[in-house]
Amino acid sequence: MSGSDDAVGFLANARSYFIYAGWHGYFLIIAMQFYAAYWAFTRWQLWRVNPVPWLWVACVVSMAYWGLAYWFQVEPPGYLLWIAPLGWVYLFFLALVLVRYYPLAPRAVLQERPVWLQTLSQSRWLWGWVALIVMATFAHWLAFSSKEVWVIPFFVLFVLVTMRRLKGRRAPGWVRYINAYSFGIYLAHPMFFAITDTLVGVETLPLVLYALLLIVVASVGSVLLNKAVNTTTWGAMLFGKRLKV
């Protein structure tokens, strides 16, 4: 922050981080909410309830949440708007639906997939939605963020199509390698973005080369940092534990 025009104040930054969740680690708060939701799910044995209707209700709730928030221009400090459960609750029920109808092991026997799931997992629906997104983009009707109304049906369709095509297949080695360090990459990549900006500068290279440089520096730097900090227990706790993939 010292390289920017923003004033650097420890107390102000601490308030932004710890009270308003004003940093990219807000995702960790959402992850903790997932753990709490799953605890409630198992505590009261809610797996006996069909999650499909709840998925549709949750999609409507999340879409209404983001739509109304942007319509009325609700802008609380930090990422408080983003960490509220109403914005992501559809993801929890989507996960329950996938676990119900897709086996974790190739030879597992689960319930037969319903007609709606077999239909929506066909790629034509996803490509049709993508075509609408492209047309709306050229018409300047859309804002691009992961917190938009149109993202929710897009993500659901994308996941259903992906699950249909990848079910029972083992992930390639390079995917598993990146996944093992994904938590550390998520936490550390903004720091390496800032280092690249400071040492190289945004306008010193063509846009494509600069984007590639950011990808390489942030990916390699985050993996190396994750390897280093995981040599100690405290380092893993503070900077991101390597996942056992």
Side-chain angles (χ1 to χ4, degrees):
M1 289 184 65
S2 63
S4 66
D5 295 330
D6 298 328
V8 178
F10 178 81
L11 294 179
N13 286 341
R15 182 173 64 250
S16 176
Y17 271 51
F18 293 112
I19 298 179
Y20 300 135
W23 67 300
H24 75 287
Y26 75 92
F27 181 81
L28 304 180
I29 300 176
I30 297 178
M32 293 176 188
Q33 294 179 37
F34 269 98
Y35 279 112
Y38 187 71
W39 175 87
F41 177 78
T42 55
R43 173 65 176 80
W44 287 288
Q45 301 180 0
L46 297 180
W47 58 77
R48 296 173 295 182
V49 179
N50 186 355
V52 174
W54 290 98
L55 170 61
W56 303 133
V57 172
C59 286
V60 173
V61 168
S62 294
M63 292 172 69
Y65 175 80
W66 292 116
L68 292 174
Y70 291 133
W71 181 271
F72 292 106
Q73 298 181 344
V74 178
E75 297 181 358
Y79 289 129
L80 293 181
L81 182 67
W82 293 12
I83 64 176
L86 291 179
W88 59 259
V89 66
Y90 76 99
L91 294 172
F92 182 77
F93 290 103
L94 176 61
L96 296 184
V97 169
L98 296 179
V99 170
R100 187 184 185 97
Y101 293 114
Y102 286 94
L104 297 178
R107 297 179 181 177
V109 178
L110 295 184
Q111 301 181 36
E112 183 179 357
R113 299 180 188 96
V115 176
W116 72 266
L117 185 59
Q118 297 181 35
T119 301
L120 292 181
S121 61
Q122 297 175 6
S123 58
R124 61 182 180 180
W125 297 100
L126 175 61
W127 287 117
W129 190 250
V130 170
L132 290 176
I133 293 174
V134 171
M135 289 188 291
T137 300
F138 282 112
H140 303 288
W141 291 347
L142 295 183
F144 280 87
S145 168
S146 59
K147 318 299 184 298
E148 295 289 337
V149 173
W150 60 267
V151 170
I152 295 172
F154 170 76
F155 185 78
V156 172
L157 290 173
F158 174 81
V159 170
L160 293 180
V161 171
T162 303
M163 289 296 294
R164 178 176 182 171
R165 294 184 176 275
L166 299 183
K167 63 179 183 295
R169 293 177 57 183
R170 183 176 175 84
W174 65 271
V175 172
R176 297 197 301 273
Y177 181 84
I178 294 176
N179 196 20
Y181 296 99
S182 59
F183 192 68
I185 293 174
Y186 176 81
L187 289 178
H189 77 273
M191 178 179 69
F192 289 99
F193 281 174
I195 292 174
T196 305
D197 287 341
T198 302
L199 298 179
V200 179
V202 180
E203 299 178 353
T204 57
L205 295 173
L207 180 60
V208 174
L209 292 180
Y210 188 72
L212 291 176
L213 181 64
L214 286 178
I215 293 173
V216 172
V217 172
S219 301
V220 175
S222 298
V223 169
L224 293 178
L225 174 63
N226 203 251
K227 285 179 177 290
V229 300
N230 272 269
T231 57
T232 66
T233 302
W234 278 101
M237 290 180 62
L238 291 173
F239 292 98
K241 187 177 181 180
R242 179 185 174 185
L243 304 179
K244 295 182 179 180
V245 177

